[in-house]
Amino acid sequence: MEHKEEDVRLGANKFSERQPIGTAAQSQDKDYQEPPPAALIDPEELGSWSFYRAGIAEFMATFLFLYITILTVMGVVKSDTKCSTVGIQGIAWAFGGMIFALVYCTAGISGGHINPAVTFGLFLARKLSLTRALFYMVMQCLGAICGAGVVKAFGKHLYQSKGGGANVVAPGYTKGSGLGAEIVGTFVLVYTVFSATDAKRSARDSHVPILAPLPIGFAVFLVHLATIPVTGTGINPARSLGAAIIYNDKAAWNDHWIFWVGPFVGAALAALYHQEYTYRIDAITLSGNIVD
């Protein structure tokens, strides 16, 4: 405990909180000071190049995310035997690994959301403005459509005959089960985002911003392992929309609402839980004496 106060001082982030992932604001003093919430509407952002650069980063990240992950899915489903492919575990690693890599690459530019549900959760927590949130969601969806489109261009017949990586509720499960899986899966992801990028934790542990992409990617991996057999795992409305538009089959559109409602509900619950429970408990701890 003799080095705890020094750790807090050295762990303080010197940059203002404009992006929620890996760049949350910190006071240079040993005690944490919560930055003000983002403005609901921030017209000044529209005149800033960094605003558009962040949107481009979200587009490119989601494009690469869909390209790698849907291509991996196609590689698995085209084979008659999964033993000759990477299997479900490989698909889960592709999704989790790409999130890890892309969050690491884009955290300092856009915050590395790559998911409208993450953006929505952080917006509810007032970590970014409505202007930026809507811009991010549009760019994420466009990137996802383009990423899935490139995969289809590699083999249209294969893509259409093997489901196009689109999310649907698997036979044997009800729509309610699929919705529940999406809500809980997205809760796990968004709560991990909040915890891994918590500014208060950054004040105590200077290594957290560097490690933030790892638990986020690992959460995506674990959720995919659990829910691929149920819904193919959405937990990302842009990912589901991109695959559904390019695949464009009735089966995908019948269940599509689940992959928007579920992730948004899960993200809202994660934001509420973190802000109203975890946040308040940590604030009380930091406002008092430093404890183990």
Side-chain angles (χ1 to χ4, degrees), residues 13-286:
N13 192 314
K14 299 178 181 179
F15 300 97
S16 61
E17 182 175 44
R18 299 302 297 166
Q19 311 301 336
I21 292 187
T23 57
Q26 290 295 324
S27 166
Q28 294 191 38
D29 298 325
K30 66 180 181 180
D31 292 328
Y32 172 74
Q33 296 179 3
E34 177 67 16
L40 182 61
I41 304 293
D42 190 354
E44 294 183 0
E45 289 185 315
L46 299 178
S48 170
W49 162 241
S50 64
F51 176 80
Y52 298 100
R53 181 181 64 176
I56 294 171
E58 288 294 308
F59 172 89
M60 286 301 301
T62 317
F63 168 82
L64 294 173
F65 178 60
L66 265 289
Y67 170 74
I68 294 296
T69 55
I70 299 299
L71 201 57
T72 303
V73 172
M74 290 294 99
V76 172
V77 300
K78 76 174 184 179
S79 178
D80 294 331
T81 171
K82 299 300 182 289
C83 295
S84 61
T85 69
V86 295
I88 288 179
Q89 293 88 348
I91 293 174
W93 274 120
F95 278 90
M98 280 303 291
I99 288 297
F100 168 73
L102 293 170
V103 170
Y104 178 84
C105 291
T106 60
I109 303 172
S110 66
H113 298 189
I114 323 170
N115 185 337
V118 171
T119 299
F120 180 65
L122 292 167
F123 164 70
L124 292 179
R126 301 295 300 277
K127 301 294 185 181
L128 71 165
S129 68
L130 178 62
T131 310
R132 185 177 290 266
L134 293 176
F135 183 49
Y136 277 14
M137 290 181 188
V138 170
M139 297 302 283
Q140 289 158 358
C141 290
L142 291 176
I145 294 168
C146 292
V150 171
V151 175
K152 183 176 180 178
F154 286 171
K156 182 177 180 180
H157 176 71
L158 173 65
Y159 187 89
Q160 291 298 131
S161 64
K162 297 299 183 179
N167 290 120
V168 296
V169 177
Y173 292 95
T174 65
K175 293 185 186 297
S177 298
L179 180 63
E182 289 297 303
I183 290 173
V184 176
T186 310
F187 179 93
V188 172
L189 169 59
V190 177
Y191 181 55
T192 302
V193 170
F194 274 110
S195 298
T197 62
D198 192 339
K200 295 174 294 300
R201 180 175 294 179
S202 298
R204 298 192 296 265
D205 305 301
S206 60
H207 64 280
V208 168
I210 298 175
L211 294 179
L214 181 59
I216 295 170
F218 201 65
V220 171
F221 164 69
L222 293 174
V223 171
H224 274 76
L225 281 183
T227 59
I228 282 176
V230 183
T231 62
T233 309
I235 67 171
N236 183 334
R239 173 262 188 271
S240 300
L241 179 66
I245 286 179
I246 300 302
Y247 180 51
N248 196 26
D249 184 86
K250 182 180 178 180
W253 290 119
N254 285 341
D255 296 337
H256 188 67
W257 65 272
I258 292 172
F259 302 100
W260 283 86
V261 175
F264 273 52
V265 171
L269 292 174
L272 177 65
Y273 176 73
H274 182 269
Q275 293 298 104
E276 295 301 322
Y277 178 72
T278 308
Y279 169 81
R280 292 185 184 279
I281 295 299
D282 283 351
I284 292 171
T285 302
L286 284 167

